[in-house]
């Protein structure tokens, strides 16, 4: 009986091709919109998440301006922070723009930075050539530095910079390494490279002695277990409160993991909102299916009456009309899924983001279309099954 009902449903759909196409058009548009929106949003979310990870997940950034009586963090404070549970290392971050000299050539806008050796332990690809800064450089206040490619091109065109000495504030520094160029997507690295003539990095201890800095105002704290970042932030804030005598506004802690959670929540809300708007098209398509099925019941009143007179049960008639509605809706859903993936691929290419196939979006689109077919096909199917055979035959 099911096989016969399926055959009759397909036969009726084929007999009214144009009307069937116009009926499922709303389903196609609705499913296509849902698939395209969810897929593009997930692709964009992945891209934004990658950008945030480049900014520094797995680390906490501290800005400790201090109080009028005490500016920045002292060496003892840094050791206490490094000794905190789940802290794998710290890297003070200091910088300013000054002039440097090599072989009588002066560059006036060079960013001189002081960093900790944990920076190189965290960023394994930070050095393109030569060696990174090592703990002994910090302990002995070594006058060594690394330079980036911009500074290398500006001062050492055609000359290997390794082993060369340049003057920073009248003090000779030996170049021991060449910094790798920051990735185009690494926003933080691009923001840090502020000097027009390039940048130079030295041990933060040497930097503080060279420029007479008493306290560290910028600090990156690297965590061992990212899942425990929030607990580490609480311990860090408690220690900073103690350092600055609980003075309001003396420091700020930026947790990238927390920002990622907020971003994921916002992107999820936006996706749900867009899916809700796109579902309106599915609602319109469902109304179209109901309208077509009601018209079909009216047109086939004689057929229904004849089948009932010959012994067809109301249940079999109801199943046939319901099956016809579900087939129309599923056809629209399948076509909509294909078009949605095609459109989302084009949009991803136009937005220059990676296309991410979402099985959940496909399942949601097909599930929605199936639900629409059942919900909006139920009333016409029920109406057809309840027709009185004598009244149906008399209307012919």
């Amino acid at each position: 009986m099911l096989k016969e009902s399926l055959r009759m449903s397909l036969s009726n759909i084929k007999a009214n091709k144009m009307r069937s196409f116009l009926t499922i058009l709303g389903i196609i548009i609705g499913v296509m919109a849902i698939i395209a929106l969810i897929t593009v949003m997930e692709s964009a979310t992945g891209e934004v998440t990658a950008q945030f990870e480049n900014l520094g997940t797995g680390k906490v950034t501290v800005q400790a301006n201090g109080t009028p009586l005490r500016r920045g963090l002292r060496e003892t404070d840094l050791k206490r922070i490094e000794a905190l549970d789940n802290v794998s290392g710290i890297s003070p971050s200091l910088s300013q723009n000054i002039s440097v000299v090599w072989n009588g050539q002066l560059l006036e806008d060079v960013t001189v930075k002081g960093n900790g050796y944990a920076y190189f332990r965290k960023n394994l690809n930070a050095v393109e050539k030569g060696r990174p800064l090592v703990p002994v450089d910090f302990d002995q206040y070594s006058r060594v530095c690394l330079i980036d490619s911009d500074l290398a091109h500006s001062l050492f065109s055609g000359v290997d910079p390794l082993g060369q000495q340049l003057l920073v504030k009248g003090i000779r520094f030996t170049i021991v390494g060449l910094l790798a160029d920051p990735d185009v997507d690494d926003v933080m690295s691009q923001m840090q490279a502020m000097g027009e003539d390039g940048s130079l990095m030295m041990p933060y201890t040497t930097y503080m002695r060279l420029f007479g800095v008493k306290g560290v105002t910028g600090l990156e704290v690297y965590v061992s277990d990212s899942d425990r970042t929030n607990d580490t932030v609480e311990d860090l804030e408690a220690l900073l409160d103690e350092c600055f005598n609980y003075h309001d506004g003396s420091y700020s802690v930026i947790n990238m993991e927390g920002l990622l959670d907020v971003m994921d929540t916002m992107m999820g809300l936006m996706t749900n909102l867009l899916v809700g708007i796109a579902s309106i098209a599915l609602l319109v398509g469902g109304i179209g299916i109901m309208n077509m099925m009601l018209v079909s019941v009216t047109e086939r009143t004689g057929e229904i009456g004849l089948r009932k007179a010959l012994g067809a049960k109301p249940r079999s008639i109801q199943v046939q009309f319901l099956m016809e509605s579900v087939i129309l809706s599923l056809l629209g859903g399948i076509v909509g899924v294909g078009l949605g993936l095609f459109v989302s691929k084009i949009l991803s290419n136009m937005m220059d983001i990676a296309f991410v196939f979402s099985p959940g979006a496909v399942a949601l689109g097909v599930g929605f279309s199936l639900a629409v077919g059942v919900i909006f096909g139920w009333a016409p199917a029920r109406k057809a099954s309840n027709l009185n055979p004598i009244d149906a035959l008399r209307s012919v």
Side-chain angles (χ1 to χ4, degrees):
M1 183 62 68
L2 286 175
K3 184 177 179 180
E4 185 65 20
S5 297
L6 177 61
R7 187 190 65 79
M8 294 181 67
S9 298
L10 292 174
S11 176
N12 185 63
I13 292 173
K14 290 180 181 178
N16 302 276
K17 295 180 180 178
M18 180 56 68
R19 186 169 69 183
S20 299
F21 170 73
L22 293 176
T23 301
I24 67 175
L25 187 59
I27 302 294
I28 293 174
I29 294 174
V31 172
M32 179 184 69
I34 288 177
I35 297 294
L37 286 173
I38 293 180
T39 304
V40 171
M41 284 298 295
E42 288 190 359
S43 300
T45 300
E47 191 73 16
V48 174
T49 301
Q51 292 284 347
F52 269 81
E53 289 176 350
N54 285 334
L55 286 175
T57 55
K59 76 176 181 182
V60 177
T61 303
V62 177
Q63 289 295 327
N65 293 324
T67 65
L69 297 178
R70 180 182 177 182
R71 178 167 175 80
L73 296 166
R74 298 170 184 171
E75 189 66 29
T76 53
D77 302 326
L78 298 179
K79 291 180 179 179
R80 292 177 63 191
I81 292 174
E82 192 169 14
L84 287 175
D85 183 37
N86 197 40
V87 173
S88 62
I90 63 172
S91 176
S93 182
L94 307 162
S95 69
Q96 62 177 289
N97 287 21
I98 62 171
S99 59
V100 300
V101 179
W102 176 78
N103 199 24
Q105 184 177 355
L106 173 69
L107 290 180
E108 296 183 350
D109 189 17
V110 176
T111 300
V112 176
K113 297 185 286 188
N115 284 80
Y117 66 87
Y119 171 86
F120 297 95
R121 191 170 59 190
K122 178 71 174 179
N123 302 280
L124 300 178
N125 299 320
V127 181
E128 179 181 328
K129 187 179 180 182
R131 70 168 179 86
L133 300 177
V134 294
V136 68
D137 294 328
F138 298 85
D139 295 337
Q140 298 181 359
Y141 303 91
S142 300
R143 296 175 182 175
V144 295
C145 65
L146 296 92
I147 63 173
D148 67 358
S149 58
D150 291 335
L151 183 55
H153 293 154
S154 300
L155 283 181
F156 305 101
S157 180
V159 178
D160 186 0
L162 294 184
Q164 299 290 333
Q165 291 187 335
L166 46 75
L167 296 177
V168 180
K169 204 176 179 183
I171 305 297
R172 293 186 182 275
F173 280 80
T174 302
I175 301 173
V176 296
L178 184 64
L179 294 169
D181 291 331
D183 187 77
V184 259
D185 294 328
D186 192 341
V187 183
M188 186 63 75
S189 296
Q190 293 181 24
M191 290 173 61
Q192 290 177 348
M194 296 176 291
E196 293 182 359
D197 296 322
S199 63
L200 176 151
M201 185 181 294
M202 65 176 65
Y204 80 91
T205 52
T206 307
Y207 180 101
M208 294 176 69
R209 174 174 289 186
L210 179 66
F211 294 102
V213 177
K214 301 299 182 182
V216 173
T217 57
L219 180 69
E220 292 178 352
V221 180
Y222 302 106
V223 298
S224 302
D225 184 0
S226 297
D227 295 333
R228 297 168 53 202
T229 301
N230 291 334
D231 295 335
T232 305
V233 169
E234 291 180 3
D235 295 339
L236 178 60
E237 289 178 341
L239 193 152
L240 291 172
D241 283 334
E242 184 181 339
C243 290
F244 296 114
N245 199 25
Y246 299 90
H247 191 279
D248 291 337
S250 57
Y251 68 88
S252 63
V253 178
I254 302 174
N255 179 11
M256 298 304 298
E257 298 288 344
L259 292 179
L260 275 175
D261 292 339
V262 173
M263 184 201 69
D264 289 340
T265 302
M266 293 179 62
M267 296 296 276
L269 290 174
M270 189 176 297
T271 300
N272 293 334
L273 176 62
L274 293 175
V275 169
I277 295 173
S279 299
I280 296 175
L282 277 177
L283 178 63
V284 174
I287 295 173
I289 286 180
M290 179 182 286
N291 182 57
M292 180 213 170
M293 296 305 299
L294 288 172
V295 171
S296 179
V297 169
T298 303
E299 290 179 346
R300 297 159 63 185
T301 301
E303 173 194 334
I304 296 170
L306 182 59
R307 290 184 61 189
K308 281 198 167 186
L310 293 175
K313 296 181 179 180
R315 182 179 180 82
S316 64
I317 295 176
Q318 183 176 351
V319 167
Q320 179 191 337
F321 279 87
L322 188 59
M323 188 175 293
E324 189 173 324
S325 171
V326 170
I327 290 173
L328 283 172
S329 187
L330 280 178
L331 283 174
I334 293 171
V335 175
V337 166
L339 289 177
L341 292 175
F342 177 72
V343 170
S344 60
K345 178 67 173 176
I346 293 177
L347 291 175
S348 297
N349 291 336
M350 292 175 61
M351 297 169 64
D352 195 24
I353 59 177
F355 171 77
V356 177
F357 175 74
S358 175
V362 173
L364 183 64
V366 175
F368 270 20
S369 63
L370 178 61
V372 165
V374 173
I375 293 172
F376 288 93
W378 178 263
R382 185 73 176 170
K383 178 181 178 181
S385 66
N386 289 335
L387 282 177
N388 188 301
I390 296 177
D391 294 338
L393 291 172
R394 186 184 294 121
S395 66
V396 178

